[in-house]
Amino acid sequence: NAGVTQTPKFRVLKTGQSMTLLCAQDMNHEYMYWYRQDPGMGLRLIHYSVGEGTTAKGEVPDGYNVSRLKKQNFLLGLESAAPSQTSVYFCASSYATARTGELFFGEGSRLTVL
Amino acid sequence: ILNVEQSPQSLHVQEGDSTNFTCSFPSSNFYALHWYRWETAKSPEALFVMTLNGDEKKKGRISATLNTKEGYSYLYIKGSQPEDSATYLCAALTGGFKTIFGAGTRLFVKA
Protein backbone atom coordinates (compact mmCIF):
# COMPACT_ATOMS: atom_id res chain seq x y z
CA ASN A 1 0.00 0.00 0.00
CA ALA A 2 1.45 3.34 -1.09
CA GLY A 3 -0.33 5.57 1.44
CA VAL A 4 1.01 9.11 1.09
CA THR A 5 3.73 9.68 -1.48
CA GLN A 6 5.78 12.86 -1.87
CA THR A 7 7.96 13.84 -4.81
CA PRO A 8 10.69 14.85 -5.05
CA LYS A 9 12.44 13.57 -1.90
CA PHE A 10 15.32 16.03 -2.24
CA ARG A 11 15.81 19.25 -4.16
CA VAL A 12 18.33 22.07 -4.22
CA LEU A 13 17.20 25.42 -5.58
CA LYS A 14 18.79 28.78 -6.14
CA THR A 15 17.17 31.87 -4.67
CA GLY A 16 14.38 33.04 -6.95
CA GLN A 17 13.76 29.71 -8.64
CA SER A 18 10.36 28.10 -8.56
CA MET A 19 9.32 24.53 -7.90
CA THR A 20 6.36 22.35 -7.05
CA LEU A 21 6.15 19.55 -4.52
CA LEU A 22 3.62 16.86 -5.29
CA CYS A 23 1.72 14.89 -2.68
CA ALA A 24 -0.42 11.93 -3.69
CA GLN A 25 -2.58 9.74 -1.45
CA ASP A 26 -4.45 6.59 -2.35
CA MET A 27 -6.66 6.34 0.74
CA ASN A 28 -9.53 8.48 -0.58
CA HIS A 29 -8.95 11.01 2.21
CA GLU A 30 -10.78 14.32 2.07
CA TYR A 31 -8.29 16.33 4.10
CA MET A 32 -4.74 17.03 3.03
CA TYR A 33 -2.06 19.17 4.64
CA TRP A 34 1.38 20.59 3.99
CA TYR A 35 3.71 21.10 6.94
CA ARG A 36 7.25 22.30 7.23
CA GLN A 37 9.61 21.02 9.88
CA ASP A 38 12.46 23.12 11.18
CA PRO A 39 14.83 22.30 14.06
CA GLY A 40 13.30 23.04 17.45
CA MET A 41 10.01 24.20 15.96
CA GLY A 42 8.08 21.03 15.29
CA LEU A 43 5.69 20.79 12.38
CA ARG A 44 4.09 24.03 11.22
CA LEU A 45 1.04 24.04 9.02
CA ILE A 46 1.51 25.85 5.70
CA HIS A 47 -1.76 25.21 3.90
CA TYR A 48 -4.47 22.62 4.06
CA SER A 49 -7.42 21.40 2.02
CA VAL A 50 -10.75 20.03 3.18
CA GLY A 51 -11.70 18.67 -0.22
CA GLU A 52 -11.14 18.78 -3.94
CA GLY A 53 -11.04 22.32 -5.22
CA THR A 54 -10.69 23.93 -1.78
CA THR A 55 -7.63 25.21 0.06
CA ALA A 56 -7.01 27.27 3.18
CA LYS A 57 -4.09 29.00 4.88
CA GLY A 58 -2.35 27.51 7.86
CA GLU A 59 0.14 29.08 10.29
CA VAL A 60 2.91 29.97 7.82
CA PRO A 61 1.41 30.38 4.33
CA ASP A 62 3.50 33.28 3.02
CA GLY A 63 5.65 32.44 0.00
CA TYR A 64 3.69 29.28 -0.81
CA ASN A 65 0.72 28.44 -2.98
CA VAL A 66 -1.26 25.23 -3.17
CA SER A 67 -3.78 23.54 -5.40
CA ARG A 68 -6.11 20.58 -5.00
CA LEU A 69 -7.45 19.95 -8.49
CA LYS A 70 -7.87 16.24 -7.83
CA LYS A 71 -8.90 14.66 -4.57
CA GLN A 72 -5.84 12.45 -4.41
CA ASN A 73 -3.27 15.18 -5.10
CA PHE A 74 -2.17 18.25 -3.17
CA LEU A 75 0.50 20.43 -4.74
CA LEU A 76 2.72 22.90 -2.89
CA GLY A 77 4.35 25.59 -4.99
CA LEU A 78 7.17 28.00 -4.31
CA GLU A 79 7.05 30.79 -6.87
CA SER A 80 10.31 32.48 -5.89
CA ALA A 81 12.31 30.41 -3.45
CA ALA A 82 14.12 32.09 -0.55
CA PRO A 83 16.79 30.68 1.78
CA SER A 84 14.23 30.91 4.63
CA GLN A 85 12.27 28.21 2.85
CA THR A 86 15.05 25.69 3.37
CA SER A 87 13.24 23.02 5.35
CA VAL A 88 11.83 19.52 5.34
CA TYR A 89 8.30 19.47 3.99
CA PHE A 90 5.76 16.88 5.03
CA CYS A 91 2.46 16.16 3.40
CA ALA A 92 -0.29 14.46 5.35
CA SER A 93 -3.86 13.35 4.79
CA SER A 94 -6.78 12.34 6.97
CA TYR A 95 -10.36 11.16 6.81
CA ALA A 96 -13.04 13.80 6.51
CA THR A 97 -15.00 12.80 9.54
CA ALA A 98 -14.36 14.09 12.64
CA ARG A 99 -13.12 12.62 15.59
CA THR A 100 -10.64 10.24 14.16
CA GLY A 101 -8.69 12.83 12.23
CA GLU A 102 -5.54 10.75 12.49
CA LEU A 103 -2.95 12.08 10.05
CA PHE A 104 -1.04 9.84 7.69
CA PHE A 105 2.27 11.31 6.65
CA GLY A 106 4.49 11.09 3.62
CA GLU A 107 8.21 10.51 4.00
CA GLY A 108 9.16 14.16 3.66
CA SER A 109 10.86 16.29 1.03
CA ARG A 110 14.10 18.01 1.91
CA LEU A 111 14.44 21.36 0.17
CA THR A 112 17.59 23.49 0.24
CA VAL A 113 17.54 27.01 -1.13
CA LEU A 114 20.96 28.51 -1.77
CA ILE B 1 -3.30 30.51 16.34
CA LEU B 2 -3.63 27.57 18.69
CA ASN B 3 -0.49 27.14 20.83
CA VAL B 4 0.52 23.61 21.75
CA GLU B 5 3.36 23.20 24.25
CA GLN B 6 5.27 20.05 25.09
CA SER B 7 7.63 19.34 27.96
CA PRO B 8 10.31 18.39 28.44
CA GLN B 9 12.05 19.11 25.13
CA SER B 10 14.26 16.06 25.59
CA LEU B 11 14.63 13.25 28.05
CA HIS B 12 17.34 10.67 28.68
CA VAL B 13 16.36 7.53 30.57
CA GLN B 14 17.80 4.11 31.26
CA GLU B 15 16.30 0.95 29.85
CA GLY B 16 13.54 -0.22 32.18
CA ASP B 17 12.70 3.25 33.50
CA SER B 18 9.16 4.49 33.24
CA THR B 19 8.68 8.01 32.00
CA ASN B 20 6.04 10.55 31.04
CA PHE B 21 5.69 13.70 28.95
CA THR B 22 3.25 16.58 29.01
CA CYS B 23 1.30 18.28 26.25
CA SER B 24 -0.65 21.45 27.02
CA PHE B 25 -3.12 23.22 24.78
CA PRO B 26 -5.79 25.91 25.05
CA SER B 27 -8.93 24.24 26.36
CA SER B 28 -11.36 26.44 24.43
CA ASN B 29 -12.68 25.17 21.08
CA PHE B 30 -11.03 21.81 21.65
CA TYR B 31 -11.86 19.05 19.24
CA ALA B 32 -9.27 16.28 19.51
CA LEU B 33 -5.75 15.58 20.73
CA HIS B 34 -3.33 13.35 18.84
CA TRP B 35 -0.09 11.70 19.90
CA TYR B 36 2.45 10.65 17.29
CA ARG B 37 5.68 8.72 17.46
CA TRP B 38 8.40 9.94 15.10
CA GLU B 39 11.53 7.91 14.58
CA THR B 40 14.55 9.47 12.95
CA ALA B 41 14.47 9.31 9.13
CA LYS B 42 10.86 8.09 9.14
CA SER B 43 7.44 9.69 9.09
CA PRO B 44 5.37 10.40 12.19
CA GLU B 45 2.95 7.60 13.02
CA ALA B 46 -0.18 8.00 15.09
CA LEU B 47 -0.27 6.50 18.58
CA PHE B 48 -3.54 7.83 19.94
CA VAL B 49 -6.43 10.05 19.00
CA MET B 50 -8.29 11.32 22.05
CA THR B 51 -11.42 13.40 22.20
CA LEU B 52 -13.25 13.08 25.51
CA ASN B 53 -12.31 14.59 28.83
CA GLY B 54 -10.97 11.83 31.03
CA ASP B 55 -10.07 9.63 28.06
CA GLU B 56 -7.35 7.11 28.75
CA LYS B 57 -5.86 5.03 25.96
CA LYS B 58 -3.26 2.28 25.99
CA LYS B 59 -1.13 0.54 23.40
CA GLY B 60 1.26 -2.00 24.87
CA ARG B 61 3.55 -0.20 27.30
CA ILE B 62 2.41 3.24 26.17
CA SER B 63 -0.64 5.00 27.54
CA ALA B 64 -2.09 8.50 27.44
CA THR B 65 -4.61 10.54 29.41
CA LEU B 66 -6.57 13.63 28.48
CA ASN B 67 -7.93 16.56 30.49
CA THR B 68 -9.79 18.90 28.17
CA LYS B 69 -11.05 21.20 30.94
CA GLU B 70 -7.56 22.19 32.04
CA GLY B 71 -5.94 21.64 28.63
CA TYR B 72 -3.33 18.94 29.08
CA SER B 73 -2.49 15.39 28.11
CA TYR B 74 0.12 13.02 29.51
CA LEU B 75 1.90 10.27 27.63
CA TYR B 76 3.35 7.47 29.75
CA ILE B 77 5.87 4.81 28.76
CA LYS B 78 6.27 1.92 31.17
CA GLY B 79 9.59 0.07 31.22
CA SER B 80 11.29 2.05 28.45
CA GLN B 81 13.20 0.10 25.83
CA PRO B 82 15.88 1.36 23.42
CA GLU B 83 13.40 0.96 20.56
CA ASP B 84 11.18 3.55 22.26
CA SER B 85 13.78 6.19 21.41
CA ALA B 86 11.99 8.68 19.18
CA THR B 87 10.37 12.08 19.18
CA TYR B 88 6.86 12.10 20.58
CA LEU B 89 4.60 14.74 19.11
CA CYS B 90 1.26 15.90 20.31
CA ALA B 91 -1.16 17.82 18.14
CA ALA B 92 -4.40 19.61 18.94
CA LEU B 93 -7.27 19.63 16.50
CA THR B 94 -9.47 22.70 16.53
CA GLY B 95 -13.05 23.01 15.34
CA GLY B 96 -11.67 24.40 12.09
CA PHE B 97 -9.94 21.08 11.42
CA LYS B 98 -6.46 22.53 11.60
CA THR B 99 -4.07 20.19 13.36
CA ILE B 100 -1.45 22.19 15.23
CA PHE B 101 1.62 20.37 16.51
CA GLY B 102 3.82 20.91 19.52
CA ALA B 103 7.60 20.91 19.09
CA GLY B 104 7.88 17.39 20.47
CA THR B 105 9.69 15.57 23.26
CA ARG B 106 12.82 13.77 22.16
CA LEU B 107 13.26 10.54 24.15
CA PHE B 108 16.60 8.74 24.38
CA VAL B 109 16.58 5.31 26.04
CA LYS B 110 19.99 3.95 26.94
CA ALA B 111 20.51 0.19 27.11
Side-chain angles (χ1 to χ4, degrees):
Chain A
N1 292 334
V4 179
T5 304
Q6 293 180 227
T7 53
K9 299 283 192 294
F10 302 93
R11 183 75 187 268
V12 179
L13 289 177
K14 294 181 180 179
T15 297
Q17 287 185 316
S18 63
M19 75 158 296
T20 300
L21 295 175
L22 171 63
C23 177
Q25 52 94 5
D26 61 1
M27 296 173 282
N28 202 35
H29 287 172
E30 290 291 336
Y31 287 72
M32 296 187 75
Y33 311 81
W34 275 108
Y35 289 89
R36 60 177 288 172
Q37 190 254 330
D38 301 293
M41 301 190 75
L43 292 164
R44 291 185 293 167
L45 183 63
I46 304 171
H47 286 279
Y48 65 103
S49 168
V50 301
E52 182 179 318
T54 70
T55 63
K57 294 180 180 180
E59 298 174 83
V60 289
D62 294 343
Y64 304 95
N65 56 76
V66 288
S67 64
R68 184 98 181 268
L69 298 179
K70 294 182 179 180
K71 185 178 182 178
Q72 64 268 34
N73 296 337
F74 194 30
L75 277 63
L76 178 72
L78 285 72
E79 289 186 349
S80 180
S84 61
Q85 293 177 304
T86 294
S87 187
V88 182
Y89 292 86
F90 285 91
C91 176
S93 68
S94 67
Y95 292 110
T97 55
R99 301 209 150 209
T100 53
E102 169 189 350
L103 268 62
F104 293 81
F105 285 88
E107 294 183 341
S109 298
R110 182 176 294 277
L111 175 65
T112 301
V113 183
L114 302 176
Chain B
I1 298 293
L2 189 66
N3 195 29
V4 178
E5 303 283 347
Q6 290 188 249
S7 62
Q9 285 187 330
S10 65
L11 193 55
H12 293 252
V13 301
Q14 291 290 128
E15 182 176 359
D17 288 350
S18 294
T19 187
N20 64 84
F21 325 132
T22 303
C23 173
S24 62
F25 52 89
S27 54
S28 61
N29 206 29
F30 173 83
Y31 200 69
L33 191 284
H34 302 182
W35 281 100
Y36 292 84
R37 182 172 182 273
W38 192 1
E39 293 183 71
T40 302
K42 294 186 178 180
S43 307
E45 292 184 349
L47 286 171
F48 305 112
V49 175
M50 310 175 78
T51 57
L52 299 176
N53 185 47
D55 249 357
E56 183 169 345
K57 299 214 170 177
K58 187 174 182 181
K59 184 182 291 186
R61 294 179 291 99
I62 303 176
S63 61
T65 61
L66 179 66
N67 183 324
T68 61
K69 292 182 179 179
E70 297 182 38
Y72 65 84
S73 175
Y74 293 135
L75 186 79
Y76 301 91
I77 302 178
K78 184 178 179 181
S80 302
Q81 300 297 309
E83 58 265 31
D84 295 329
S85 297
T87 297
Y88 292 83
L89 298 174
C90 74
L93 186 68
T94 70
F97 298 104
K98 294 182 186 180
T99 303
I100 305 299
F101 283 81
T105 293
R106 184 74 172 92
L107 175 66
F108 301 87
V109 182
K110 186 176 180 181

